[in-house]
Short mmCIF file of all heavy atoms in Angstrom, two decimals:
data_model
loop_
_atom_site.label_atom_id
_atom_site.label_comp_id
_atom_site.label_asym_id
_atom_site.label_seq_id
_atom_site.Cartn_x
_atom_site.Cartn_y
_atom_site.Cartn_z
N TYR A 100 111.98 106.32 97.63
CA TYR A 100 112.12 106.87 96.28
C TYR A 100 111.80 108.39 96.40
O TYR A 100 110.65 108.77 96.55
CB TYR A 100 111.19 106.24 95.32
CG TYR A 100 111.35 104.75 95.22
CD1 TYR A 100 110.45 103.90 95.88
CD2 TYR A 100 112.38 104.25 94.48
CE1 TYR A 100 110.56 102.54 95.78
CE2 TYR A 100 112.49 102.84 94.38
CZ TYR A 100 111.60 102.03 95.01
OH TYR A 100 111.73 100.65 94.93
N GLY A 101 112.84 109.24 96.45
CA GLY A 101 112.62 110.66 96.59
C GLY A 101 112.01 110.89 97.96
O GLY A 101 112.56 110.59 98.98
N GLY A 102 110.79 111.49 98.01
CA GLY A 102 110.11 111.72 99.31
C GLY A 102 109.08 110.69 99.57
O GLY A 102 108.25 110.91 100.51
N THR A 103 109.02 109.55 98.92
CA THR A 103 108.02 108.53 99.12
C THR A 103 108.64 107.24 99.66
O THR A 103 109.60 106.75 99.13
CB THR A 103 107.28 108.23 97.77
OG1 THR A 103 106.74 109.42 97.25
CG2 THR A 103 106.17 107.25 98.00
N ALA A 104 108.05 106.68 100.73
CA ALA A 104 108.55 105.41 101.25
C ALA A 104 107.56 104.32 100.82
O ALA A 104 106.35 104.52 100.87
CB ALA A 104 108.60 105.48 102.76
N SER A 105 108.09 103.19 100.36
CA SER A 105 107.28 102.06 99.94
C SER A 105 107.62 100.90 100.86
O SER A 105 108.78 100.52 100.99
CB SER A 105 107.67 101.74 98.50
OG SER A 105 107.03 100.51 98.11
N ILE A 106 106.60 100.30 101.51
CA ILE A 106 106.75 99.19 102.36
C ILE A 106 105.89 98.02 101.86
O ILE A 106 104.68 98.26 101.68
CB ILE A 106 106.39 99.53 103.82
CG1 ILE A 106 107.23 100.69 104.33
CG2 ILE A 106 106.53 98.31 104.71
CD1 ILE A 106 106.85 101.23 105.64
N VAL A 107 106.49 96.87 101.60
CA VAL A 107 105.78 95.74 101.11
C VAL A 107 105.97 94.57 102.07
O VAL A 107 107.06 94.30 102.53
CB VAL A 107 106.27 95.35 99.71
CG1 VAL A 107 105.51 94.15 99.13
CG2 VAL A 107 106.23 96.52 98.74
N ILE A 108 104.90 93.88 102.44
CA ILE A 108 104.96 92.77 103.32
C ILE A 108 104.50 91.50 102.52
O ILE A 108 103.49 91.44 101.90
CB ILE A 108 104.01 92.94 104.57
CG1 ILE A 108 104.40 94.21 105.28
CG2 ILE A 108 104.05 91.69 105.42
CD1 ILE A 108 103.48 94.60 106.36
N TYR A 109 105.43 90.52 102.54
CA TYR A 109 105.17 89.23 101.85
C TYR A 109 105.02 88.17 102.93
O TYR A 109 105.70 88.15 103.91
CB TYR A 109 106.36 88.80 100.95
CG TYR A 109 106.68 89.76 99.90
CD1 TYR A 109 107.65 90.75 100.13
CD2 TYR A 109 106.13 89.68 98.64
CE1 TYR A 109 108.02 91.66 99.13
CE2 TYR A 109 106.48 90.57 97.61
CZ TYR A 109 107.44 91.55 97.85
OH TYR A 109 107.82 92.39 96.89
N SER A 110 104.07 87.25 102.76
CA SER A 110 103.95 86.09 103.65
C SER A 110 103.60 84.88 102.83
O SER A 110 102.71 84.87 101.98
CB SER A 110 102.92 86.34 104.74
OG SER A 110 101.62 86.49 104.15
N SER A 111 104.31 83.77 103.08
CA SER A 111 104.08 82.53 102.38
C SER A 111 104.90 81.43 103.03
O SER A 111 105.92 81.63 103.71
CB SER A 111 104.48 82.70 100.93
OG SER A 111 104.41 81.41 100.24
N GLU A 112 104.48 80.19 102.83
CA GLU A 112 105.25 79.09 103.28
C GLU A 112 106.44 78.84 102.43
O GLU A 112 107.42 78.19 102.84
CB GLU A 112 104.34 77.80 103.35
CG GLU A 112 103.24 77.88 104.35
CD GLU A 112 103.69 77.90 105.75
OE1 GLU A 112 104.82 77.39 106.06
OE2 GLU A 112 102.96 78.45 106.57
N ASP A 113 106.43 79.36 101.21
CA ASP A 113 107.47 79.05 100.19
C ASP A 113 108.55 80.10 100.07
O ASP A 113 109.36 80.06 99.20
CB ASP A 113 106.83 78.83 98.82
CG ASP A 113 105.91 77.64 98.81
OD1 ASP A 113 106.17 76.72 99.55
OD2 ASP A 113 104.88 77.65 98.03
N LEU A 114 108.53 81.12 100.96
CA LEU A 114 109.51 82.22 100.88
C LEU A 114 110.92 81.61 101.18
O LEU A 114 111.10 80.89 102.13
CB LEU A 114 109.23 83.30 101.82
CG LEU A 114 108.16 84.33 101.46
CD1 LEU A 114 107.95 85.31 102.60
CD2 LEU A 114 108.53 85.03 100.21
N LYS A 115 111.85 82.00 100.39
CA LYS A 115 113.26 81.66 100.59
C LYS A 115 113.93 82.89 101.19
O LYS A 115 114.31 83.78 100.45
CB LYS A 115 113.96 81.21 99.30
CG LYS A 115 113.24 80.09 98.56
CD LYS A 115 113.70 78.77 99.11
CE LYS A 115 113.29 77.63 98.19
NZ LYS A 115 111.93 77.13 98.45
N ILE A 116 114.10 82.88 102.47
CA ILE A 116 114.62 84.10 103.15
C ILE A 116 116.00 83.74 103.74
O ILE A 116 116.23 82.73 104.37
CB ILE A 116 113.66 84.52 104.33
CG1 ILE A 116 112.31 84.87 103.79
CG2 ILE A 116 114.26 85.68 105.07
CD1 ILE A 116 111.28 85.12 104.81
N SER A 117 116.96 84.66 103.43
CA SER A 117 118.24 84.56 104.10
C SER A 117 118.40 85.85 104.91
O SER A 117 118.61 86.92 104.39
CB SER A 117 119.39 84.39 103.12
OG SER A 117 119.32 85.46 102.18
N PRO A 118 118.31 85.75 106.27
CA PRO A 118 118.37 86.93 107.11
C PRO A 118 119.68 87.65 106.98
O PRO A 118 120.73 87.04 106.82
CB PRO A 118 118.17 86.38 108.54
CG PRO A 118 117.60 85.09 108.36
CD PRO A 118 118.06 84.54 107.03
N ARG A 119 119.64 88.98 107.05
CA ARG A 119 120.87 89.75 107.00
C ARG A 119 121.31 90.03 108.42
O ARG A 119 120.49 90.18 109.32
CB ARG A 119 120.61 91.11 106.30
CG ARG A 119 120.31 90.92 104.87
CD ARG A 119 120.27 92.22 104.15
NE ARG A 119 119.21 93.09 104.68
CZ ARG A 119 118.98 94.33 104.34
NH1 ARG A 119 119.77 94.90 103.45
NH2 ARG A 119 117.99 95.06 104.85
N LYS A 120 122.61 90.12 108.62
CA LYS A 120 123.11 90.49 109.92
C LYS A 120 123.19 92.02 110.01
O LYS A 120 123.82 92.65 109.23
CB LYS A 120 124.52 89.90 110.16
CG LYS A 120 124.50 88.42 110.29
CD LYS A 120 125.84 87.87 110.64
CE LYS A 120 125.76 86.34 110.78
NZ LYS A 120 126.94 85.79 111.31
N VAL A 121 122.43 92.54 111.01
CA VAL A 121 122.46 93.97 111.21
C VAL A 121 123.19 94.28 112.51
O VAL A 121 122.83 93.66 113.55
CB VAL A 121 120.97 94.48 111.29
CG1 VAL A 121 120.90 96.00 111.54
CG2 VAL A 121 120.24 94.17 110.02
N PRO A 122 124.14 95.19 112.53
CA PRO A 122 124.84 95.45 113.72
C PRO A 122 123.98 96.12 114.85
O PRO A 122 123.03 96.78 114.46
CB PRO A 122 125.96 96.38 113.34
CG PRO A 122 125.55 96.98 112.02
CD PRO A 122 124.63 95.97 111.43
N SER A 123 124.24 95.85 116.02
CA SER A 123 123.47 96.43 117.16
C SER A 123 123.75 97.91 117.21
O SER A 123 124.80 98.42 116.85
CB SER A 123 123.86 95.80 118.46
OG SER A 123 123.58 94.46 118.49
N ALA A 124 122.73 98.64 117.65
CA ALA A 124 122.89 100.12 117.89
C ALA A 124 123.83 100.37 119.03
O ALA A 124 123.91 99.63 119.97
CB ALA A 124 121.51 100.75 118.11
N SER A 125 124.58 101.46 118.95
CA SER A 125 125.47 101.81 120.00
C SER A 125 124.67 102.41 121.13
O SER A 125 123.68 103.12 120.99
CB SER A 125 126.42 102.90 119.47
OG SER A 125 127.22 103.37 120.55
N PHE A 126 125.09 102.13 122.39
CA PHE A 126 124.50 102.69 123.56
C PHE A 126 125.02 104.11 123.83
O PHE A 126 124.50 104.86 124.60
CB PHE A 126 124.69 101.80 124.80
CG PHE A 126 123.88 100.56 124.71
CD1 PHE A 126 124.50 99.36 124.43
CD2 PHE A 126 122.49 100.57 124.91
CE1 PHE A 126 123.73 98.23 124.37
CE2 PHE A 126 121.79 99.45 124.86
CZ PHE A 126 122.35 98.25 124.56
N LYS A 127 126.19 104.42 123.19
CA LYS A 127 126.83 105.69 123.46
C LYS A 127 126.30 106.71 122.40
O LYS A 127 126.31 106.49 121.21
CB LYS A 127 128.32 105.55 123.30
CG LYS A 127 129.10 106.84 123.56
CD LYS A 127 130.58 106.59 123.38
CE LYS A 127 131.33 107.91 123.52
NZ LYS A 127 132.71 107.76 123.19
N LEU A 128 125.84 107.89 122.92
CA LEU A 128 125.33 108.91 122.04
C LEU A 128 126.51 109.63 121.40
O LEU A 128 127.60 109.77 122.04
CB LEU A 128 124.51 109.93 122.81
CG LEU A 128 123.17 109.40 123.41
CD1 LEU A 128 122.48 110.42 124.18
CD2 LEU A 128 122.28 108.91 122.25
N PRO A 129 126.36 110.10 120.17
CA PRO A 129 127.47 110.85 119.53
C PRO A 129 127.67 112.16 120.31
O PRO A 129 126.80 112.76 120.92
CB PRO A 129 126.96 111.15 118.15
CG PRO A 129 125.50 110.80 118.11
CD PRO A 129 125.21 110.00 119.31
N GLU A 130 128.94 112.63 120.25
CA GLU A 130 129.27 113.85 120.93
C GLU A 130 128.66 115.04 120.19
O GLU A 130 128.54 115.06 118.98
CB GLU A 130 130.78 114.08 120.99
CG GLU A 130 131.48 113.07 121.90
CD GLU A 130 132.99 113.33 122.02
OE1 GLU A 130 133.39 114.47 121.75
OE2 GLU A 130 133.70 112.36 122.27
N LYS A 131 128.18 116.04 120.99
CA LYS A 131 127.55 117.23 120.38
C LYS A 131 128.68 118.04 119.73
O LYS A 131 129.67 118.36 120.33
CB LYS A 131 126.87 118.00 121.45
CG LYS A 131 126.05 119.16 120.99
CD LYS A 131 125.25 119.82 122.08
CE LYS A 131 124.49 120.97 121.54
NZ LYS A 131 123.70 121.62 122.60
N GLU A 132 128.40 118.51 118.50
CA GLU A 132 129.33 119.36 117.81
C GLU A 132 128.86 120.80 117.85
O GLU A 132 127.65 121.09 117.64
CB GLU A 132 129.48 118.88 116.32
CG GLU A 132 130.12 117.54 116.19
CD GLU A 132 130.30 117.14 114.75
OE1 GLU A 132 130.43 118.06 113.91
OE2 GLU A 132 130.45 116.00 114.46
N SER A 133 129.76 121.75 118.04
CA SER A 133 129.43 123.12 118.11
C SER A 133 129.40 123.63 116.68
O SER A 133 130.26 123.40 115.87
CB SER A 133 130.53 123.87 118.89
OG SER A 133 130.28 125.27 118.83
N MET A 134 128.31 124.41 116.44
CA MET A 134 128.17 125.02 115.08
C MET A 134 128.53 126.50 115.13
O MET A 134 128.12 127.24 114.25
CB MET A 134 126.74 124.84 114.62
CG MET A 134 126.36 123.40 114.41
SD MET A 134 127.30 122.52 113.17
CE MET A 134 126.67 123.24 111.71
N GLY A 135 129.14 126.98 116.22
CA GLY A 135 129.47 128.39 116.34
C GLY A 135 128.45 129.10 117.21
O GLY A 135 127.50 128.45 117.70
N SER A 136 128.67 130.37 117.45
CA SER A 136 127.73 131.11 118.33
C SER A 136 126.45 131.40 117.66
O SER A 136 126.37 131.37 116.42
CB SER A 136 128.41 132.38 118.83
OG SER A 136 128.61 133.23 117.74
N GLU A 137 125.46 131.70 118.43
CA GLU A 137 124.09 132.02 117.92
C GLU A 137 124.16 133.28 116.96
O GLU A 137 123.43 133.37 116.02
CB GLU A 137 123.13 132.31 119.04
CG GLU A 137 122.79 131.07 119.86
CD GLU A 137 121.92 130.10 119.05
OE1 GLU A 137 121.11 130.54 118.24
OE2 GLU A 137 122.06 128.92 119.25
#
C-alpha cells in the first residue's frame, strides 16, 4: 500500500487453501538496453 508492505501469516488446521500456479523464473537475463551516451 503506497510505500508500506503488509505481510500476514495464518496457520490453522481449518484453512481452505487453493495453491496458485506461479510460472518459473527465466534462466535467461534480459538484454541490456542502451539509454544513450553518458
